[in-house]
Amino acid sequence: MSNKKTTKSTKGAAKSSSKKSTSGKVIKPLRRVNTAKSDSSTSKNKAKRKSTNSAKKGTANTRAKKLLGRLKKNETQGAYTSVKNRKKVIFNKASGASSRGGFESDKDRFITIWAIALIALGLLIGRAYYIQVLNASFYQEKGDELITSVRTQASYRGMITDRNQLPLAISAPLATVSFSPHDYAREYYELRRIQIENPDQPKLQARVKERLDNMDLTRLAAAANISVSKLEQAAGINDSVDVTDEDAVKAALPSGAGSHYLPLLNKVKPEIAQSVSSLDFPGVYERNFFQRYYPQPQPNSQLLGFMGQNANDPEGGYEGRAGIERQFEPTLAGKDGKVLVLKDARQNSLKEIKQLEPEVVGQDVALTIDSRLQYLLYKELEKAGRLQKARWSSGMVVDVQTGEVLALSTWPSFNSNNLNEMTGENQRNRALLDVFEPGSVMKPFTVAAALDSGKYTANSLIDTNPGSIRVRGYTIRDHNNLGVINMATLLQKSSNVASTKIALSLPPDAITNMQKQFGFGTKTPLQFPGEGAGLVVTPKEKETARRATVSYGYGLEVTLAQVAQAYAALASGGVMHPLTLIKDAEKPTSKRIMAHDQAMSIVKMLEAVTEQGGTARAAAIDGYRVAGKTGTSRRVNPDGGYYTDQYRNVFAGMAPASNPRLVGVMLIEDPRGQIYAGLTVAPVFHNVMKEALRLYNVPLDKPLKTQ
């Protein structure tokens, strides 16, 4: 009975202990005590139990400590614990499970994850708004750059015509067709690759085969009139290349000089270029442009100028670089248009999308030049220049009544259609750019100053004996002793002594002031690029040598255009009609600079120069009274002083002298045949002016000579 009770009590204790354990933490069960032993063994051991209770208690304490350590370890390692005792963790591993579910335990993690998701979504929305709304235009432009491009639509350059609307400079449409062996080979290998990689697509195979057949170089060679072998050698097609290997294809493509550009047709008419470009051949490109063409090149080259490449134009456009082409560049050029075009992957234009900027066609410029007279003037200058073995020759013809320049040319010249002939010397428009000491052609303005002063009249006498005069240690001479002469003889015989005596009798600024009134020392209204202004320095009271030299054309610098303008003012009765080169342009205001009677009296005096005893009899024209003046001056030596064997010859004249209509001025630099203007340039004036009077139907004012 006692054993049963003991067993029952033991079982009860076990049950009670098990119940208590379920409400606490789950731990490993303790090792059970063996209760199945006999009562005898139990009674025998009672004494021992008492003696060992204290030892068992020590052992139990030791086991309890071990269990407590295990519990703490399991707790940190995620052992199952109650919800009440579980630590709150967010990012660490789960610390246990609960029979109540996971929402309460995962609430913070749930909120955090959703917060991160919302932030990421907000960032994506913000980025999309920035790209598609705030900065949409930027990205749209970037996208457009990949599939579109802006093509310049070259405007037609206006013509330059003469006064009769005959073209002097025109723009001819031309085209250049080129072949790119690199692009051709790349297309060929790409089609071969498609052919090999798609054997089961018969329609695609047929299209590829047709395209390859059209790539036969024989077709291109026949259309461009070029040898097939040259094209084949340039393309270098190698059928043994593995077209599926990209690196092998790149290595087989043509490279080096000529691999991207092989000219087929250069500067031909668009109709001729169309025969090649219409083949739709891979690697064939056409460029259309306008080329400037000059129908009358040599006579007009320095006046019209030429075209040159614009360094600021990325497409290599051309612009006027000299002369009229440069002076009226904005008017002639117009404005290029811009067109938005759709392009393929190879940057080829597929079609025009829209016009971005309209094309503004250049306007024509009509000159006052008469191309007939211009040609005649150039040929006479060339003939005289070659005959006299001169450095150069230049000339102008001006309409007295309007100031219009009818002809202006210089020899030697160049072919403005072939700029390889152009040099620094032959491209200069010397009539407008070069300044020089004019010599005796300035004496009519010395006479004008004398008449204007009131001290002299047309009949005043001047004593030139003994044919020379000393001024400040310098001796000024005439060719011979002319004795006592009047104003007409002064001009007819070109007396330096008489001019000096007039200058020294007038105030120091009298001569130079008159020269300035006639336009010397300032640029003409032509506004030609690079035009010279000349130099007129007013001498002081004590500078008697300078006062003397300016009276006969030394000690000052002028241009040939200024001489022509001044003589035209004399011929028009003392009214200055500023020079002009543009036919329909607004003309500068004319002004009177001298009394009509005085001016015409000087013209009358100048008639004696071309008559018997004058220095320019060769300038006389049958049937017309001709007035003019020669000038033979020494050339300046750069090392100081003047050359003793080099001269400059100038003749300025007008016809008909009774009612002047035309003025002509001619110059020959350093003639080697003859040294006097009456023998070199006077004949040029005669030949040019004779035809000019005939062209303009100017009535005769003098009886014709009979044979």
Side-chain angles (χ1 to χ4, degrees):
M1 294 294 290
S2 62
N3 290 336
K4 291 179 180 180
K5 289 179 181 179
T6 303
T7 304
K8 289 179 180 180
S9 63
T10 304
K11 290 180 179 179
K15 288 179 180 180
S16 63
S17 63
S18 65
K19 288 179 180 179
K20 291 178 180 179
S21 65
T22 57
S23 63
K25 295 179 181 179
V26 179
I27 60 174
K28 293 182 180 180
L30 299 176
R31 186 178 296 175
R32 292 182 179 180
V33 179
N34 190 2
T35 57
K37 292 183 178 181
S38 61
D39 292 336
S40 59
S41 63
T42 303
S43 60
K44 289 179 180 179
N45 291 330
K46 283 181 179 180
K48 293 181 179 179
R49 290 174 182 167
K50 291 179 180 179
S51 62
T52 59
N53 279 336
S54 59
K56 288 180 178 180
K57 288 179 179 179
T59 304
N61 290 335
T62 302
R63 290 178 177 176
K65 289 179 179 180
K66 290 181 178 180
L67 289 173
L68 182 61
R70 288 177 183 176
L71 288 172
K72 290 181 177 180
K73 184 177 181 181
N74 290 338
E75 190 175 68
T76 59
Q77 293 179 350
Y80 288 102
T81 61
S82 66
V83 175
K84 184 186 295 183
N85 296 327
R86 183 186 300 168
K87 290 184 178 181
K88 294 182 179 180
V89 189
I90 297 177
F91 294 106
N92 293 335
K93 294 180 179 180
S95 59
S98 172
S99 59
R100 296 173 60 189
F103 174 76
E104 185 177 346
S105 61
D106 294 336
K107 180 173 62 175
D108 293 337
R109 186 188 304 173
F110 178 83
I111 294 173
T112 302
I113 292 174
W114 271 102
I116 293 173
L118 290 175
I119 291 173
L121 180 62
L123 291 174
L124 291 175
I125 293 174
R127 179 62 177 170
Y129 181 79
Y130 172 77
I131 292 175
Q132 299 183 23
V133 179
L134 295 181
N135 210 20
S137 60
F138 172 78
Y139 289 98
Q140 186 175 357
E141 290 174 1
K142 289 295 183 182
D144 291 342
E145 288 179 2
L146 300 176
I147 60 173
T148 63
S149 65
V150 177
R151 188 185 68 193
T152 300
Q153 193 175 39
S155 63
Y156 178 79
R157 189 176 182 87
M159 292 193 302
I160 301 176
T161 67
D162 75 345
R163 63 187 301 109
N164 300 314
Q165 300 302 312
L166 295 176
L168 302 178
I170 57 177
S171 292
L174 297 177
T176 294
V177 181
S178 62
F179 175 61
S180 173
H182 181 277
D183 293 351
Y184 172 84
R186 183 179 60 183
E187 175 80 4
Y188 179 85
Y189 292 134
E190 177 66 16
L191 291 174
R192 293 281 296 122
R193 183 190 64 79
I194 295 174
Q195 196 176 44
I196 293 174
E197 292 181 351
N198 300 275
D200 54 347
Q201 298 186 33
K203 292 184 178 180
L204 180 60
Q205 289 283 333
R207 289 198 302 269
V208 170
K209 184 178 182 305
E210 182 181 1
R211 185 62 176 164
L212 287 172
D213 292 340
N214 289 333
M215 291 180 66
D216 186 1
L217 291 173
T218 305
R219 297 175 58 240
L220 181 60
N225 194 22
I226 192 172
S227 65
V228 180
S229 59
K230 184 176 181 179
L231 296 177
E232 292 176 345
Q233 183 179 1
I237 298 299
N238 186 0
D239 289 324
S240 63
V241 173
D242 183 6
V243 293
T244 60
D245 185 351
E246 185 177 352
D247 294 335
V249 171
K250 287 183 178 179
L253 292 176
S255 60
S259 60
H260 289 272
Y261 182 82
L262 178 65
L264 300 178
L265 299 174
N266 187 30
K267 296 181 180 180
V268 298
K269 293 181 179 180
E271 296 80 6
I272 299 176
Q274 182 67 19
S275 62
V276 177
S277 58
S278 62
L279 295 176
D280 192 23
F281 207 88
V284 172
Y285 303 101
E286 178 183 353
R287 186 174 73 90
N288 296 291
F289 58 96
F290 292 102
Q291 171 137 346
R292 206 63 165 168
Y293 176 69
Y294 302 92
Q296 198 181 69
Q298 282 86 357
N300 300 305
S301 59
Q302 297 100 341
L303 173 62
L304 301 182
F306 57 92
M307 303 290 291
Q309 190 167 8
N310 184 356
N312 299 322
D313 190 343
E315 297 186 4
Y318 283 78
E319 63 180 358
R321 301 299 294 274
I324 299 297
E325 295 279 22
R326 177 183 175 184
Q327 184 178 358
F328 293 93
E329 170 66 21
T331 303
L332 292 167
K335 186 178 180 181
D336 293 343
K338 294 186 181 300
V339 180
L340 185 66
V341 298
L342 184 67
K343 61 184 181 181
D344 59 14
R346 297 172 186 170
Q347 305 302 308
N348 297 321
S349 298
L350 299 179
K351 67 175 183 178
E352 295 182 0
I353 300 177
K354 64 178 180 178
Q355 182 93 30
L356 299 178
E357 294 181 12
E359 172 192 356
V360 179
V361 178
Q363 300 178 23
D364 295 343
V365 173
L367 303 183
T368 59
I369 296 295
D370 188 326
S371 58
R372 301 168 299 175
L373 193 56
Q374 181 84 344
Y375 178 79
L376 176 64
L377 173 63
Y378 176 77
K379 298 307 291 184
E380 291 297 330
L381 292 172
E382 180 184 22
K383 183 173 69 174
R386 293 186 185 277
L387 179 65
Q388 300 296 334
K389 300 178 182 178
R391 294 176 184 265
W392 65 79
S393 56
S394 187
M396 290 181 66
V397 178
V398 176
D399 189 324
V400 171
Q401 299 174 359
T402 62
E404 294 178 346
V405 179
L406 303 178
L408 189 161
S409 191
T410 297
W411 172 88
S413 185
F414 65 96
N415 185 351
S416 45
N417 294 316
N418 180 14
L419 297 184
N420 293 326
E421 298 181 5
M422 185 179 67
T423 65
E425 291 296 318
N426 63 20
Q427 70 168 309
R428 291 184 63 82
N429 191 334
R430 298 189 179 275
L432 298 174
L433 273 61
D434 287 7
V435 295
F436 58 92
E437 287 185 313
S440 296
V441 292
M442 299 300 292
K443 289 176 181 175
F445 308 105
T446 299
V447 174
L451 298 178
D452 186 65
S453 68
K455 292 184 177 181
Y456 297 88
T457 66
N459 298 320
S460 297
L461 299 178
I462 303 171
D463 187 1
T464 65
N465 287 301
S468 64
I469 185 173
R470 293 281 294 179
V471 179
R472 289 282 181 173
Y474 296 96
T475 301
I476 299 173
R477 294 184 175 86
D478 287 337
H479 297 294
N480 49 59
N481 186 2
L482 300 175
V484 179
I485 60 175
N486 59 16
M487 294 293 182
T489 306
L490 183 157
L491 296 177
Q492 182 186 36
K493 299 296 183 179
S494 193
S495 174
N496 294 335
V497 175
S499 299
T500 299
K501 287 192 172 184
I502 290 175
L504 295 179
S505 67
L506 299 178
D509 59 351
I511 304 296
T512 53
N513 284 347
M514 183 59 67
Q515 292 170 348
K516 291 178 180 179
Q517 285 185 30
F518 276 92
F520 295 105
T522 57
K523 293 182 180 181
T524 68
L526 297 178
Q527 300 180 350
F528 195 81
E531 181 182 357
L535 181 65
V536 176
V537 179
T538 301
K540 298 179 181 178
E541 177 72 31
K542 295 181 179 180
E543 293 178 325
T544 54
R546 179 180 290 273
R547 291 169 59 186
T549 56
V550 297
S551 68
Y552 54 85
Y554 283 86
L556 71 157
E557 294 179 342
V558 303
T559 65
L560 199 67
Q562 290 173 344
V563 176
Q565 182 176 247
Y567 270 77
L570 274 178
S572 64
V575 177
M576 172 73 75
H577 298 295
L579 297 183
T580 179
L581 267 171
I582 308 304
K583 181 63 177 174
D584 298 324
E586 182 179 353
K587 293 179 174 57
T589 304
S590 301
K591 64 178 180 179
R592 177 167 293 281
I593 58 176
M594 190 177 184
H596 180 272
D597 293 342
Q598 291 179 349
M600 296 312 295
S601 67
I602 295 175
V603 172
K604 175 64 176 176
M605 296 176 196
L606 290 173
E607 283 190 64
V609 176
T610 64
E611 295 174 349
Q612 187 69 31
T615 59
R617 292 184 60 193
I621 302 173
D622 189 18
Y624 293 96
R625 293 164 53 188
V626 177
K629 184 70 186 75
T630 57
T632 301
S633 58
R634 296 181 184 272
R635 299 185 72 238
V636 176
N637 188 338
D639 298 329
Y642 295 89
Y643 288 109
T644 58
D645 60 344
Q646 295 185 21
Y647 298 88
R648 178 181 301 107
N649 295 164
V650 182
F651 180 83
M654 61 198 74
S658 60
N659 183 20
R661 172 68 190 280
L662 301 175
V663 163
V665 181
M666 313 297 163
L667 178 148
I668 293 182
E669 187 77 8
D670 191 20
R672 291 297 174 172
Q674 302 287 339
I675 64 173
Y676 295 110
L679 302 176
T680 58
V681 290
V684 177
F685 173 89
H686 167 86
N687 295 336
V688 173
M689 194 62 67
K690 178 181 177 181
E691 291 301 317
L693 294 169
R694 182 185 62 82
L695 284 173
Y696 288 94
N697 296 318
V698 178
L700 301 176
D701 67 342
K702 181 180 178 181
L704 291 170
K705 292 181 180 179
T706 58
Q707 297 295 332

